[in-house]
Amino acid sequence: MAGTGRGEQGGGERRTDALSKERIVDAAIAILDAQGESALTFRALAASLATGAGAIYWHVANKNELLQAAADAVITRVVSDESTREAPAAIRAIASGVFDAIDAHPWVGGQLLREPGQSAVMEILEGFGEQLEGLGVPERDQFNAASALVNYVLGSAGQFTAGARINPEGLGRTEFLARVATRWTERHDAATYPFAHRAAAQLREHDDREQFLAGIDILVAGISTLR
Amino acid sequence: MAGTGRGEQGGGERRTDALSKERIVDAAIAILDAQGESALTFRALAASLATGAGAIYWHVANKNELLQAAADAVITRVVSDESTREAPAAIRAIASGVFDAIDAHPWVGGQLLREPGQSAVMEILEGFGEQLEGLGVPERDQFNAASALVNYVLGSAGQFTAGARINPEGLGRTEFLARVATRWTERHDAATYPFAHRAAAQLREHDDREQFLAGIDILVAGISTLR
DNA sequence: ACCTGAACACCGTTCAAGT
DNA sequence: ACCTGAACACCGTTCAAGT
């Protein structure tokens, strides 16, 4: 019972090359970053760790736990201590951090959406939630407000990830989006989709990060309404 | 070249039991609804259509196209014609429609997040976008505003889906969430996660649908700020 | 043109056997 | 306690062969 939990306090590892959950997670992140979600198989992971596929199961219950641990590792680094700033700036900073993390590790976006009450998502919820007092939001509305921020961030994260997955690498994101937009407008007529056609035009001079933060600002403005 | 497209105008089908993309999509939706995402395999689908696995590939390029078509079929029915109402009510109605569709077909939530520029998502974008003029949003902000709404809806959708996937059916959603919250609070101390602990308490007397719509209201309030 | 179904190239996961 | 690696039970997809 003693050493079972996920505490893993640095007691003193014998050999540096021994397998551990941490090493496995790091190797998984490296594969995910370099070659994408579809490249992460237990066989590839075992090969990169110079071990057998079954060995991994001694440290990790299954693939889902592995992906969760990988996503948590990336997000946890990012969300911590923005508590010093003014409320709106802190919210922006947390959101930017999550955005940048997903930009650097696109697979994280998809993973966050698959684990609802899991560490990474709760970390983000906590980060946003602690700022709401500073915006003067009454306690009864705080949960709704924090949820709205989290759901918006997760939805945006999913969009980035989906975009990254389809983009035949080499194209810049804006250029890629412009191409998608062109294809879409060619296939759907402007009469039934007037708004989407106007949006597609704007897409060319558009920056994902700015649009993401514009959404955060809209939410903060809406939240400031609750008093 | 003539009959290739996805037009499929009702010319006159010969035998009612012939395979078609529409029949395949309907069968897929039935399996997804009844047994969940993991139950949809080409073998199971072929069996339910009383045909061979390879036959499906004559009508559908691959599994991803099948899932997209299924999600589009569910969403398209829902988003159409809310155009008569006042802007804020119309936005609420569209959001409610999407929420209810995902509530009834949880697999749709995950699928919407995997197809960025695809029909269903664009349909939702269009629905929201057309209401923004009525809120007095200047054209240059309309794309950001509509995107924020869509991303929020998609993020929420992902959360519902993830919840539904984990929920060992039989429990009501509120009861299930309460159980998740209890488990989470037991494992994380209130000192480092003060907000999440308060949120977990509120979770017991909480309604998903209401919280979702509260987020929509926050967004609408924020969007009305743009002038 | 449309359908069949065996075959291919993979997966995640298990488990007897080793050290 | 930890690791090995073959084996199991699946997948999505292809394709020669049928009608």
Side-chain angles (χ1 to χ4, degrees), chain A residues 24-133:
Chain A
I24 292 171
V25 169
D26 285 345
I29 291 176
I31 292 176
L32 288 163
D33 286 348
Q35 311 179 64
E37 283 198 63
S38 65
L40 183 67
T41 68
F42 274 73
R43 276 163 248 259
L45 186 56
S48 104
L49 289 163
T51 183
I56 298 167
Y57 283 89
W58 186 262
H59 302 272
V60 165
N62 52 43
K63 190 171 184 179
N64 191 48
E65 188 189 301
L66 178 61
L67 283 166
Q68 283 187 194
D72 288 351
V74 168
I75 291 297
T76 308
R77 289 172 208 154
V78 152
V79 183
S80 339
D81 57 35
E82 300 293 350
S83 27
T84 36
R85 318 202 198 181
E86 289 283 313
I91 288 174
R92 265 185 147 253
I94 293 167
S96 294
V98 175
F99 182 98
D100 292 338
I102 292 169
D103 194 25
H105 315 274
W107 51 273
V108 172
Q111 187 52 31
L112 289 184
L113 286 150
R114 266 169 243 135
E115 37 164 343
Q118 231 51 15
S119 309
V121 175
M122 295 301 283
E123 212 82 36
I124 300 172
L125 182 76
E126 180 71 30
F128 285 138
E130 288 177 5
Q131 301 303 324
L132 296 177
E133 208 76 56

Side-chain angles (χ1 to χ4, degrees), chain A residues 18 24 32 41 49 63 81-82 93 106 120 132 136 146 159 165 178 182 196 198 203 208 211 213-214 216:
Chain A
I24 292 171
L32 288 163
T41 68
L49 289 163
K63 190 171 184 179
D81 57 35
E82 300 293 350
L132 296 177
Q159 296 300 95
R165 191 168 27 221
T182 305
R198 270 185 289 139
L203 206 56
D208 266 355
Q211 184 165 55
L213 290 172
I216 293 287

Side-chain angles (χ1 to χ4, degrees), chain B residues 19 51-52 54-55 59:
Chain B
L19 229 43
T51 182
H59 302 273

